[in-house]
Amino acid sequence: MGRLGFSTTDSARLLLTAGVLALSVVLAEQEGENLSGLSDNPDKGIFAVRENGTTCLLVEFAVKFLVPYDVLALNGIDLITEQASFNLPRGAEIEGKCDSTESEIHISWKNNAYTLRIYFSKEFRDKGTEVWKISRVQFVYDTSETSHFINAYNPGKHTANTHRLSALVTPAGHAYVCAAQQTLRLISSDHQKGITLSMYDIQIQPFDIASDFIFSEPYKCITDQRERLEEILPLILGLILGLVIVIMLTIYHFHLKLTATQPQLPRDRSMYKNM
C-alpha cells in the first residue's frame, strides 16, 4: 500500500489556506460589551455588540418582566397563579452578532437562568423606504431560580416567544428613541402563559452605526411626539392669544390717534349763517 506524500509546494498551500481561514475567523470576531456603568439610571442597561473592534449594535433601555407561574395551594391539591416581577439587571452578560440585514443581541444573567434574545431585521416598505424593526423577542427563564420564583410548582426552564412581531419600526440609519413605555406580550411554553415585557427610556440602533459607541440621528416614537405636542400646545395657543391682543391694542391705539387729529365741527351751524 503506497504512502501519501506532500511536496513542499503542497505544504505551503495548506499552510496558506489554514492561515486565511484563521484570519477570516479573527476578522469576523464579534463580542458583546456591558456599558451599563455609564448610565446614571440604576434600572437602565447599556449593551453593545462589536465586530472587528467597531460597534455594530447598540442598546440602551430599562426592561421590566411580569411572569406568571404556578404554586401549590394550601390544600396541597389546587394550583394558583402568582406573578414574578423583576427588572433586567445591569450586570448581565452580552452576546450577539451583526449582519447587513439581520442582527441580534443575547442578554443573560443569574448563570443563564434568564436569557433575553432580541432579533432585528431590515426590510423595504412602500416607495422603497428602508426600515429596521424588532422581528422577534425570546425570553428563557428558569422557575427553579428562587430569587423571583418562590415555591414554584414543577420548576424548570421555559421559553417564551413573540408571534409575528414588527415593533419599533425605524428608518434605516436612525436610532429609535422613546422615553414612554413600550410593551410586548410573549407566550410561554409553560401552559401558554402570557408574559409581559415592558421597555422604557429606550435608545436602540442595530444597524448602520457611523461612530463607535455613538447613536446616529434619533427617530422619536409617536408616543413621545404626541406628549411633546401636548406639552407645547398650550404655549403655542398662549402666544397666539397674546399676539391677537397686541394687534387689537395696536389697532385701537391708532384709531384713537386718528380720531383725536380730526377737526371738531360745532353741532349748531346757525351761528355761521348770522355772520
Side-chain angles (χ1 to χ4, degrees), residues 29-44:
E29 181 180 359
Q30 296 177 340
E31 59 180 356
E33 289 195 27
N34 188 329
L35 308 172
S36 301
L38 301 176
S39 175
D40 296 330
N41 185 341
D43 295 327
K44 183 187 290 188

Side-chain angles (χ1 to χ4, degrees), residues 124-135:
F124 285 94
R125 294 288 178 95
D126 298 337
K127 300 180 181 179
T129 303
E130 189 177 24
V131 300
W132 65 262
K133 65 178 183 178
I134 294 180
S135 55

Side-chain angles (χ1 to χ4, degrees), residues 66-157:
L66 190 63
V67 183
Y69 67 101
D70 292 332
V71 298
L72 201 60
L74 293 177
N75 61 14
I77 299 174
D78 299 325
L79 293 178
I80 59 176
T81 301
E82 297 285 354
Q83 297 279 356
S85 177
F86 51 92
N87 296 327
L88 175 66
R90 289 159 58 100
E93 297 179 358
I94 311 302
E95 293 182 352
K97 65 178 183 179
C98 300
D99 201 353
S100 58
T101 58
E102 293 183 349
S103 62
E104 59 192 68
I105 186 168
H106 304 175
I107 307 172
S108 303
W109 64 100
K110 288 282 186 181
N111 296 319
N112 292 321
Y114 306 93
T115 301
L116 174 65
R117 299 186 178 100
I118 305 177
Y119 300 85
F120 305 89
S121 63
K122 268 185 177 182
E123 64 180 32
F124 285 94
R125 294 288 178 95
D126 298 337
K127 300 180 181 179
T129 303
E130 189 177 24
V131 300
W132 65 262
K133 65 178 183 178
I134 294 180
S135 55
R136 181 187 172 201
V137 174
Q138 183 182 81
F139 181 51
V140 179
Y141 61 100
D142 192 345
T143 55
S144 63
E145 201 284 303
T146 57
S147 62
H148 300 305
F149 300 98
I150 302 172
N151 299 324
Y153 177 77
N154 194 20
K157 276 203 170 184

